[in-house]
Amino acid sequence: MYGVVTKYFNERGYGFIQCITDGKQYFLHEKDLNGEYIETGCYVYFLNFKTRRRKNNAAIINVIEAPEHTTRRK
């Protein structure tokens, strides 16, 4: 599945992905990043899995494209 990270809370280690395929929102946890650096706006590939607490979880998350950062000139 493909999606875009809509929110990621670095200090808490979790966030959310908006799936492009089905339009649903998926929960992501830092343990499922496989060492990838992630931030809001990243385009990612992931797999879906279910737990007792939540149906839409993201696993094995791979960053395909990260947002471009621009530097402000003073």
Side-chain angles (χ1 to χ4, degrees):
M1 301 177 90
Y2 294 94
V4 176
V5 177
T6 55
K7 291 183 184 178
Y8 186 69
F9 305 100
N10 221 0
E11 64 282 347
R12 294 183 179 180
Y14 71 89
F16 301 94
I17 298 171
Q18 183 70 40
C19 183
I20 294 171
T21 311
D22 63 9
K24 295 179 183 176
Q25 192 170 40
Y26 291 82
F27 176 80
L28 75 93
H29 192 272
E30 66 184 350
K31 68 176 174 52
D32 297 311
L33 292 176
N34 298 322
E36 294 268 14
Y37 174 77
I38 200 161
E39 62 183 292
T40 301
C42 285
Y43 182 61
V44 297
Y45 174 79
F46 65 98
L47 299 177
N48 178 26
F49 73 97
K50 298 177 184 180
T51 64
R52 292 186 311 174
R53 292 181 61 191
R54 189 177 292 113
K55 289 192 295 185
N56 299 330
N57 294 287
I60 311 173
I61 302 160
N62 294 306
V63 176
I64 297 171
E65 187 175 330
E68 186 175 321
H69 294 286
T70 56
T71 307
R72 292 177 136 183
R73 292 185 180 182
K74 294 182 181 182

